[in-house]
Amino acid sequence: TGFSLAAFKRNKRKLELAEKVETDLIQLKKRRQSNEKENDSGTLDTVGAVVVDQEGNVAAAVSSGGLALKHPGRVGQAALYGCGCWAENTGAHTPYSTAVSTSGICYFYKYFKKECSCALQTEDAHQALLETMQNKFIGSPFLANEDGVLGGVIVLRSCRCSAEPESSQEKPTLLVEFLWSHTTESMCVGYMSAQDGKAKTHISRLPPGAVAGQSVAIEGGVCRLESPES
């Protein structure tokens, strides 16, 4: 019948379209693999930021294009405060102000930023972040079935401290530590102050021989900020 013929043609067009989409996806995957071979750092689109002002207040943010072929209505970590980033100022139980921004698989978003923030309340921030990456991320039982545990994090920690003993300044300064860590082959980092006209950039890479998803790279630095004039 005419009705059946129309239905047949309509469904045939859907099938042809689905086959074309599948072919296009295969070709796209091949192009991406080819591009990644040319540039081993790949192309990802999550951007995170952590900041501190002269008063010692911290903040964190994250922006992401999310996963390809997302389900309709899916809300990613960038739209939910506390999932992709975390920031809290010094308090009764937190001697350090901390700001954390993450990129990686879902467990990283939901739990890790808080794990980092708590760990950074210890004296040695570098060691605390390293142990958290190894024990709470790579060694997480929630990720035991993952082929590669891939993620990256930037953290900022600040606290009030007295001036150096040999310094003539009497007013306290703000001690700021900025660290980054990742299990991916590489991660790009940029940093600047309000006085800088241009950000300094750096591509952090895993050590030679390290395996992505199983090894950790960690770097960072420390600076002092003068308190604003009263």
Side-chain angles (χ1 to χ4, degrees):
T1 63
F3 179 82
S4 296
L5 180 60
F8 172 79
K9 290 181 178 180
R10 183 170 62 253
N11 290 326
K12 190 171 184 296
R13 284 196 299 271
K14 289 182 180 179
L15 179 61
E16 291 171 344
L17 179 60
E19 291 174 344
K20 182 179 184 303
V21 169
E22 183 178 6
T23 301
D24 290 345
L25 287 174
I26 292 173
Q27 292 176 349
L28 177 61
K29 185 176 181 180
K30 288 181 178 178
R31 286 199 299 270
R32 286 180 174 174
Q33 290 174 340
S34 176
N35 291 336
E36 288 178 3
K37 288 180 181 178
E38 295 175 2
N39 176 15
D40 62 0
S41 62
T43 303
L44 302 177
D45 62 355
T46 299
V47 178
V50 288
V51 297
V52 60
D53 65 13
Q54 285 185 311
E55 299 290 347
N57 300 305
V58 295
V62 64
S63 174
S64 175
L67 301 172
L69 298 176
K70 296 184 291 293
H71 288 291
R74 176 187 179 273
V75 179
Q77 90 289 352
L80 299 174
Y81 175 73
C83 286
C85 61
W86 182 266
E88 59 181 322
N89 284 336
T90 301
H93 304 291
T94 53
Y96 297 97
S97 295
T98 58
V100 182
S101 187
T102 64
S103 174
I105 57 180
C106 293
Y107 173 82
F108 216 41
Y109 295 145
K110 291 182 179 179
Y111 304 105
F112 190 77
K113 85 286 174 194
K114 183 61 176 175
E115 296 278 6
C116 278
S117 183
C118 292
L120 290 172
Q121 299 303 324
T122 60
E123 185 174 349
D124 190 337
H126 186 282
Q127 185 64 27
L129 180 58
L130 177 61
E131 291 179 356
T132 305
M133 288 288 288
Q134 291 173 333
N135 301 330
K136 301 295 186 178
F137 185 48
I138 292 180
S140 168
F142 297 102
L143 302 174
N145 296 325
E146 293 290 332
D147 293 332
V149 184
L150 300 175
V153 59
I154 55 175
V155 303
L156 186 149
R157 186 175 83 163
S158 68
C159 69
R160 292 285 178 192
C161 59
S162 301
E164 295 289 349
E166 63 274 11
S167 173
S168 59
Q169 297 179 346
E170 296 182 357
K171 61 183 179 181
T173 59
L174 194 66
L175 182 67
V176 179
E177 297 173 83
F178 176 48
L179 302 172
W180 56 89
S181 182
H182 57 96
T183 61
T184 52
E185 291 184 3
S186 64
M187 187 172 80
C188 184
V189 178
Y191 52 94
M192 66 185 297
S193 73
Q195 287 74 40
D196 294 331
K198 184 179 181 181
K200 299 177 179 65
T201 58
H202 170 69
I203 296 181
S204 176
R205 299 185 185 278
L206 287 177
V211 179
Q214 301 176 17
S215 305
V216 178
I218 180 169
E219 297 181 69
V222 181
C223 69
R224 288 177 180 269
L225 300 179
E226 291 185 6
S227 300
E229 296 294 339
S230 299

